[in-house]
Amino acid sequence: MTWVYALLALATVAIILGVLYRPLGDYMAWVYTSRKDWKVERGIYKVIGVDSKTEQTWQAYLRSVLAFSAIGLLIVYGLQRLQQWLPYSLGLPAPSEHLSFNTAASFVGNTNWQSYSPELTVGYTVQFAGLAVQNFVSGAVGIAVAIALVRGFAYRRSGTIGNFWVDLIRGTLRILLPIAVIGAIVLMIGGVIQNFNGFTTVTTLTGATQTIPGGPVASQEVIKLLGTNGGGFFNANSSHPFENPTAWTNVFQVLLMLVIPFSLPRTFGRIVGDNRQGYAILSVMAILYVASFSILTALESAGMGTAPELAGGAMEGKEQRFGILGSTLFATTSTGTSTGAVNSMHDSYTALGGMMPMLNMMLGEVTPGGVGSGIYAILILAVIAVFISGLLIGRTPEYLGKKIGPREIKLAALYILVMPTLVLAGTAMSFAIPGIREDVENTSIWNPGIHGMSEVLYAFTSAANNNGSAFAGLTANTPWLNTALGVVILLGRFVPIVFVLALAGSLAAQDKVPTTSGTLPTHRPMFIGLLTVVTILVTALTFFPVLALGPLAEGLM
Amino acid sequence: MSTITEPRPKPAEAPTRKGGFTWEQVRAALPGAFRKLNPKEQWRNPVMFLVWVGAALTTVLAISEPFIGGPADSGGTVVPWQFTWAIAVWLWLTVLFANLAESVAEGRGKAQAETLRKTRTSTMANRVASYDPATDAAAERAATTQISSSDLALGDVVVVTAGELIPGDGDIVWGIASVDESAITGESAPVVRESGGDRSAVTGGTRVLSDRIVVRITSKPGETFVDRMIALVEGASRQKTPNEIALNILLASLSIIFVVVALTLNPIASYAAAPVSVTVLVALLVCLIPTTIGALLSAIGIAGMDRLVQRNVLAMSGRAVEAAGDVTTLLLDKTGTITYGNRRASEFVRLGGVREQDLVRAAALSSLADPTPEGVSIVELAEQEHGEFDRNTTGEIVPFTAQTRMSGLDLPDGTQIRKGAGSAVIAWLEEGGKRLPSSLLAELDEYVERISQSGGTPLVVATKDTAGEGTLLGVVHLKDVVKEGLPAKFAEMRSMGIRTVMITGDNPLTAAAIAKEAGVDDFLAEATPEDKLAYIRKEQEGGNLVAMTGDGTNDAPALAQADVGVAMNSGTSAAKEAGNMVDLDSDPSKLIDVVRIGKQLLITRGALTTFSIANDIAKYFAIIPAMFMGVFPQLAALNIMGLHSPASAVLSAIIFNAIVIVFLIPLALRGVKYRPGNASSILGRNLAVYGLGGVIAPFIGIWVIDLVVRLIPGF
């Protein structure tokens, strides 16, 4: 029966996404190509002194991205450190320096790794002025960078790749904000709370007293998912009934996470003028997503041991109201979109099942990836796939009419270097440096042995891929992990962006090569298959040795 | 233009050099392979440099192990004492095999370079002290001094007489001579070189067989054509091509990722598992980095250039060879490439009231003494259609002259037969005020017009009896004959995404007819060099890559503008300078081969890269379980090949990794078989062979090697 439900759940999600694919994709393409500014946008441009009609070179675009993010980082850090003097702080003190840094990096980097219990650490002002703002704009930054790369493919002999400020503001105001408003209302209908009540003390049926935090959850919740951020209002994230009360809100949350990443291929196809290219990219994302979901569901349903067999599956760490399917669907979506929200505890999954969320991230977040970051990551892999297949047909390779020469390959190669290096170096350093190892072993790891290693590996994988989910048995609120993960998040977010924008600049400067019958069609099943294999080979394969030491060693027992 | 002897096309490939390599080649290449073990040599190739470092490291370990109490345990497994030695040896062999591939590839050019070097030996030159082209063009009165050819400077003028070697590259400024160019072209028949026109270039080291010429030197010593050829065939001046650089970057980046994997593995393993030994780590690294393509990459490049050399085409840069694979527009000269270059009789068209056999006989008789290909073809066609006739008909031959524009035969009985251009023949018939009937002329006009429109040349045949009474017999249709199989070849090109454009000096009408027959996509009629240049520019504007051939000085701008410009060796030195390839056979149809070789070069690289990366999957399944089976026996589930022990699994993977290089050397040298087709079908085929094959082959290979390795005691 599990499989019938699995199919039904997938079909529901697929049909709704399918219906939205074209209108949303086309709408987003229009947003980024329209020449008209809204009145409110013109007001903003006037205030920040931007001429919306001038485009930027890739260097200028990059400088804008970095400057904007650096300012965001300072603001979020500052707000936390000054929390005790801020209004609506609920009387909470300022978090420590390293925790504040980690949180700032995490929200600016669209990661939302949380080393803390949000409801007990940050007040409403930090939530709203700091975290919620970043939830919107860090997502908009991701889409902007992706659009810049797409423009690189679409433009001919152009020195510019668009205007970052225009892309940022349009993405926020025209895409994220309207969908968020609708989404928040739907969530509230579903029972997600939205108030400013602070802590309410109640007496339970048994006579004990309990302090229940309230807050503006629905408005936070929607952008947490829509912007593939993942930072929950509550520590329990989407498994908390105030965040995700019912089975149908669970499916709605899954849809919120997927809707933009799965529609961006349409935007891409639209802007480059060939919708079939969008379908090809979409197919690769969907194939990997469905495969990952199926494997995870199979592994979790077949959980071995007395308890899982009695429960009909590995139910430890999963909410009864979502069941195995609701949990695996959410986990696949959340780790595949770089959201990192959880409605079940990945740490408690079966050993091999727990490997699947990790693998989703190790693929470089392309199934379908975060807002914007998913499509630019897969386009980089497409460049590499095109390069290899171009050689195989005897032409110097080209993608969408753009030649893939030494410079383009160099940038793509540097891109794919970053993530594995950060994950492996971070994990290795946690165990290699004696002082740090002691700290990690004694303070952070609560499950010594193979699983403890997996927890650390998961943490660095999540940080480097800007996911934000965790094997939560790990205590990450330590100076080493807060700092190291914060640095990994920033490097994992912005170093690849440097290469993506440089690639966009280099592609935009080229003229287009005309398509002939000697050109490799990049919209046919063969290329889709090749790109799928390349994605698995150049990213996930790197991690085979460490996975053998962690989940594989644990799971093959 | 006096072309007495056109060089005949040579057989494409000498049979001995066809497939891969022979034992003699290996023996000759071995010293070079060992010399290349020098780390300075390895540094250029990051992938093989890593293997070199690994080999050196394991050797040091192997030597020191007896003093530190044998090899350390690896991943909780006891390692046999021979293990480190075995790995070290096979790593050195891996490096050696890669060197061998490169040496063999270079060796094939070395032999050719040797013969070329012989032509470079210094000779004495008769330098004209002060050359005055106006008054003493032949330099007969000017004083000459004897100097060594190596002292000649740019712009010097020398006199070369029969029997002497030409001292340096230059252009003939006066005279005509037959020259033996066999030293560079391998073609024994002498060629004619003369001042002015498109055949004025001479190459240093070639020998003048007859006559006397005055040559202006156009190259500095050490930079002559032969010098450049030697550097090219030896691979000394080989620069990495853009695509090769791009591939190198990708391979380096994959290598770096795996270095990170290897370096971080032990710290991570130290927490919950057991660290593996350095030897095993090195083995893991070498297995994962793309050694197969890394080892063969430069051999593929050298062999690609060599394949061109074997076809007597010299590419001045590897970039040009690569660009050839990308060409989307081919400009082909009509004459010699699309047509045979000489017109052939295809049909006899008789006028009303004339007996067919009269026309055929007259046409054949008038051509009996005509040695031109046109004349011969008329006789052949006549015999074909009407059987043998008396070839021994005697008579007085009337040769073709520019004045009469006719040729023919005066029979002993006084009958005169003439064939020639319509207007000339009519004028001859109407000599002495006779008038031909206008109906007859109208009929003739109709036939002539029809033949012209179809791209042919009409040749009117008439007789005149002793009384001076002329009879108009009919018209011979001379046709520019399109080479057989061309339409199919061009269709193939089309499927490869290449447009073919015919270049001709013919009028648009004729050009259109021939273009249609040959099946080219476009044509450029009445083409001047300026037209060609404009056409190339237009194509390039649209993003196309253009290839063309040319030989004249006025072709030089177009040759330089084209992405691939193949200059004919018979052409001027300006043309040779402008082009990026020289065809020693001066065969314009070679362009198609050049494109094919360019594609083959890229495909070979892609195939071996795919193969190399696909191999990693099997190697993982060999090494990963082996590394940690000691601490995690459950990882045996991943040992799907059923390898005997951790030590034998690692060694088998390393041995496979080395041996596969040797197996692929012939492929690297010969190039992957290229079958034309559209992009999807080529990709599908190559992915199946090299991608899927690359996944499966190592599973079988490692398993087989393990069956042998397990027999070694201790493994």
Side-chain angles (χ1 to χ4, degrees), chain B residues 470-520:
Chain B
T471 318
L472 206 47
L473 293 174
V475 188
V476 181
H477 184 171
L478 288 182
K479 220 170 146 185
D480 226 348
V481 180
V482 172
K483 292 185 177 176
E484 297 97 46
L486 271 190
K489 212 165 188 176
F490 291 145
E492 198 176 77
M493 291 266 168
R494 225 177 338 271
S495 78
M496 283 154 61
I498 298 172
R499 278 177 77 244
T500 44
V501 181
M502 183 181 83
I503 306 285
T504 170
D506 292 345
N507 63 59
L509 213 62
T510 312
I514 295 173
K516 190 159 171 260
E517 193 181 343
V520 293

Side-chain angles (χ1 to χ4, degrees), chain A residues 433-487:
Chain A
I433 303 168
I436 292 171
R437 176 173 176 146
E438 235 158 75
D439 176 56
V440 170
E441 262 180 316
N442 299 333
T443 319
S444 296
I445 294 180
W446 286 44
N447 306 288
I450 308 173
H451 196 72
M453 197 291 287
S454 299
E455 288 174 350
V456 176
L457 176 65
Y458 194 107
F460 280 96
T461 308
S462 173
N465 285 291
N466 301 136
N467 185 277
S469 67
F471 266 6
L474 187 76
T475 303
N477 192 6
T478 63
W480 160 250
L481 282 181
N482 272 336
T483 314
L485 292 174
V487 169

